[in-house]
Amino acid sequence: MSTGNGDYKYPATGVECAHHVAVPPPQPFTKSLKTSLKETFFPDDPLRQFRNQPASRKFILGLQYLFPILEWGPRYSFQFLKADLISGITIASLAIPQGISYAKLANLPPILGLYSSFVPPLVYAMMGSSRDLAVGTVAVGSLLIASMLGSEVKANEHPQTYLHLAFLATFFAGVFQVSLGLLRLGFVVDFLSHATIVGFMGGAATVVCLQQLKGILGLDHFTHGTDIVSVMRSVFTQTHQWRWESGVLGCCFLFFLMLTKYFSKRRPKLFWVSAMAPLTSVILGSLLVYLTHAERHGVQVIGNLKKGLNPPSLSELPFGSPYLSTAIKIGIVTGIIALAEGIAVGRSFAMFKNYHIDGNKEMIAFGMMNIAGSCTSCYLTTGPFSRSAVNFNAGCKTAVSNIVMAMAVMITLLFLTPLFHYTPLVVLSSIIIAAMLGLIDYDAAIHLWKVDKFDFIVCMAAYIGVVFGSVEIGLVLAVAISLLRMVLFVARPRTMVLGNIPNSKIYRSVDQYPAASTVPGVLILEIDAPIYFANAGYLRERISRWIDEEEDKLKAAGESSLQYVILDMGAVGNIDTSGISMLEEVKKSMERSGLKLVLANPGGEVMKKMNKSKFIELLGQEWIYLTVGEAVGACNFMLHTCKPKAVTDDSTMV
């Protein structure tokens, strides 16, 4: 009897199994490489719009790609302007106090917070693709600069060096972001998983809140460390220096800010109440200090802020500094964090309004605004969630809301900065704490625990690393655990026994479907991942163990011995030479035990490599089937028509 799978007749149907598992036609290496590179770097096919277009049209499309404002600008209407005007003024009322607060958090002059809310939003409005993102400084980026740069240069001892290195770090963050966008390396940001970001943001928010105890308690000297132990030690070893006036003022304003935030959550249409609360706090705090002369009684104030627009700082970038490597490291770390937050926020709001933003284009926009910012006395900016949420709720239509915000900040810089002289630092601390408490996402952590315990471990590792170690330790720890998980997924792929769903020709996991029945004399295994050098050894041992366990179970039940092992390769997207060597070893080992290896549903890439390595010839084309059902039918046919010992013959099956 012939053994080719085209000659088998299933006893149940009498229909010939004519399906043949094809080997894909060979492709030139250059074509395969081109396809792989395209899928890696250009999955969204950004050049599609340029096809079959005249040169003049390609030039216009190229400009519109780099500057999206040229695309939607001609369609801009007066209705859009009214909405963007309201949104821009609303976010400016939040951006001004937040900018000053976050600059203080980064140990930089408060005026830099206003500078950073003027130039970068203008750049983003021209180059960004999000309609809802409101650009500005962020607490996490400010904290990173303070902790990483502060460990090398003390801001109070060498203020000029510290300031110039902050500009340089911002410059390198921008260069790194632009490079990622131009080289289409946006997938690098994907290594920061959702669980990592939740834990990192929560930890950073906790650390930021703890750092604000300095302002709330009116302390002059405070630890440079960011971990909870150092902060608590610094707080409780200076109890004799606590200033009750500052503490009472801080608690009152914090209560006011939290109350307005709670009120706005209960009544979403009144979002502007919480949006205006920070500026209201600044005004009330300044008036209170001015009228009561509280600065003479231990309440610290901002002091003089320089009037005028951003001074140029290109000549102040210290490229020859001995701290150049530190600035580059800070730039890369803060650049990645800023991208992760900005792109995630932009995509979230784009989903609500049903439009798409290009991640790589966003990277270029973020990078250019940080490069421009570093040359105009700004430090790191991105798209913070709190400001963008206010922009979204205010009904913004386009990025013009950023231009309106920048104009409001410009007016403040030109005419209103003297009004901030009496603004108490304790109010800025209250504003930061109120904003940070929203970043500690308890619900997301609980959800991670319910859905995926490993993701919860990653989240908590990031949180604990930041809170008890440092921002860098928390980030490295979380990314390391995430990468370890990815490696474990590859190195220890799932394998499962399949059974037949009653009254069907469908085969599924017997663990998932307890009603599924195994086939007598046949063990069906599914491999749920590509087969690479990293998991080949594990799969060889796991398949052997499945076989041993099945044979022990059959012996205990007194049933017929195992004859065939079918490997369902449907989920095996690729295989390397180590994987093929593993299959060869499994085949030889099984034949020594009197078993026959059968493959089902191998993909095109797997078939191509098995064909080139001569494994198909070694196994026999007749033992490769299109579906698990056909493989089981052929094995059943052989079991009912052939003697068991015939299975052990290497050359023929009779």
Side-chain angles (χ1 to χ4, degrees), residues 562-575:
L562 192 63
Q563 300 292 324
Y564 295 93
V565 177
I566 299 173
L567 293 183
D568 181 1
M569 309 276 282
V572 181
N574 212 327
I575 190 170

Side-chain angles (χ1 to χ4, degrees), residues 97-108 138-144 146-147 203-228 230-232 234-235 238 242-243 246-251 253-254 257 300 302 379 424-437 440:
Q98 273 193 352
I100 295 172
S101 305
Y102 293 160
K104 288 290 291 180
L105 178 61
N107 293 327
L108 293 167
V138 287
V140 175
S142 303
L143 176 66
L144 279 167
S147 61
T206 303
V207 167
V208 169
C209 289
L210 292 173
Q211 288 277 326
Q212 299 319 300
L213 291 176
K214 176 186 177 183
I216 295 289
L217 299 174
L219 298 175
D220 293 319
H221 304 288
F222 207 69
T223 178
H224 293 290
T226 58
D227 61 287
I228 188 171
S230 299
V231 171
M232 290 294 99
S234 186
V235 168
Q238 301 184 75
W242 291 7
R243 291 167 178 154
S246 182
V248 169
L249 197 61
C251 291
F253 278 108
L254 182 58
L257 291 166
Q300 299 170 335
I302 289 179
Y379 77 105
L425 296 183
V426 67
V427 170
L428 302 184
S429 295
S430 301
I431 291 170
I432 292 175
I433 292 174
M436 289 302 96
L437 290 176
I440 305 175

Side-chain angles (χ1 to χ4, degrees), residues 524-546:
I524 312 168
L525 298 175
E526 180 181 2
I527 300 174
D528 201 18
I531 304 175
Y532 294 123
F533 66 93
N535 60 26
Y538 167 77
L539 286 173
R540 179 179 61 247
E541 301 300 329
R542 193 67 187 93
I543 292 169
S544 298
R545 187 147 55 94
W546 276 123

